């Protein structure tokens, strides 16, 4: 078990398109375990491999309240098959953009296909928070971050707050 370092903006790995996993082998299973191990103490509801510096299409999610490691989702090569036109708005945050939150609207329901930790194909119908969380994590696999969904003005305001937090000394320069 290994605690992995969480990458934050502007780390370039967060802007890369992650590679599909060819085979769910022992290394991928280990990655899934390490990502879960890393997600819980950071109080994340989801984590995508690029967020720990690994540009592969792997995500873990736990939107249970309270968190329930026995029922965490572990997805390899997740792919959205269909999405509702009805939207759901959630105040999103991200371990890669610490302490910043903003409402984002995304399809309320999705059908997603993925490989589980045994390499078996699964199809899942997700709604509300789970749907939002899966979409947020798949965005990471495509080099996208939730702030990309905001209007240019709101994104600028959020990133200004974020930069101040990351480089507080700049204020005195
Ligand atoms: Zn995120």
């Amino acid at each position: 078990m290994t605690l992995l370092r969480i990458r934050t903006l502007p780390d370039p790995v967060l802007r890369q398109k992650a590679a599909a996993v060819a085979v769910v082998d022992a290394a991928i299973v280990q990655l899934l375990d390490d990502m879960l191990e890393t997600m819980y103490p950071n109080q994340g509801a989801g984590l995508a491999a690029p967020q720990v510096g690994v540009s592969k299409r792997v995500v873990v999610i736990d939107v249970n309240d309270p968190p329930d490691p026995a029922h965490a989702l572990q997805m390899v090569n997740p792919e959205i098959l269909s999405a509702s036109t009805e939207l759901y708005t959630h105040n999103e945050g991200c371990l890669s953009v610490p302490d910043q939150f903003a409402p984002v609207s995304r399809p309320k329901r999705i059908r997603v296909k993925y490989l589980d930790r045994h390499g078996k194909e699964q199809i899942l119908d997700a709604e509300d928070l789970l749907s939002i969380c899966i979409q947020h994590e798949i965005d990471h696999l495509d080099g996208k971050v939730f702030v990309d969904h905001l209007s240019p003005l709101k994104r600028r305001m959020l990133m200004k707050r974020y930069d101040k937090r990351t480089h507080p000394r700049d204020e005195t320069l």
Side-chain angles (χ1 to χ4, degrees), residues 35-50:
M35 284 170 62
L36 282 169
E37 187 81 358
T38 303
M39 178 179 78
Y40 286 114
N42 283 289
Q43 264 122 48
L47 192 63

Side-chain angles (χ1 to χ4, degrees), residues 46-48 51 93-97 136-137 140 144-146:
L47 192 63
Q51 293 183 275
C94 180
L95 293 177
S96 294
V97 197
H136 176 119
E137 299 312 328
H140 278 303
K144 282 194 261 173
V145 182
F146 81 96

Side-chain angles (χ1 to χ4, degrees), residues 7-17 48 50-53 94 96-97 139-140 142-145:
R7 306 302 181 92
T8 55
L9 285 183
D11 193 312
V13 73
L14 294 169
R15 291 307 190 180
Q16 283 170 23
K17 190 172 163 68
Q51 293 183 275
V52 291
C94 180
S96 294
V97 197
D139 268 1
H140 278 303
D142 294 323
K144 282 194 261 173
V145 182

Side-chain angles (χ1 to χ4, degrees), residues 65-76:
D65 186 17
D68 180 6
H71 293 100
L73 266 176
Q74 305 175 44
M75 305 175 128
V76 176

Side-chain angles (χ1 to χ4, degrees), residues 18-86:
V21 171
V23 187
V24 183
D25 57 13
I28 294 296
V29 170
Q30 183 68 55
L31 175 63
L32 285 163
D33 288 342
D34 291 345
M35 284 170 62
L36 282 169
E37 187 81 358
T38 303
M39 178 179 78
Y40 286 114
N42 283 289
Q43 264 122 48
L47 192 63
Q51 293 183 275
V52 291
V54 179
S55 199
K56 289 184 180 161
R57 304 189 79 80
V58 174
V59 311
V60 294
I61 290 171
D62 186 350
V63 293
N64 298 299
D65 186 17
D68 180 6
H71 293 100
L73 266 176
Q74 305 175 44
M75 305 175 128
V76 176
N77 298 342
E79 193 186 320
I80 293 170
L81 300 176
S82 60
S84 66
T85 49
E86 191 184 347

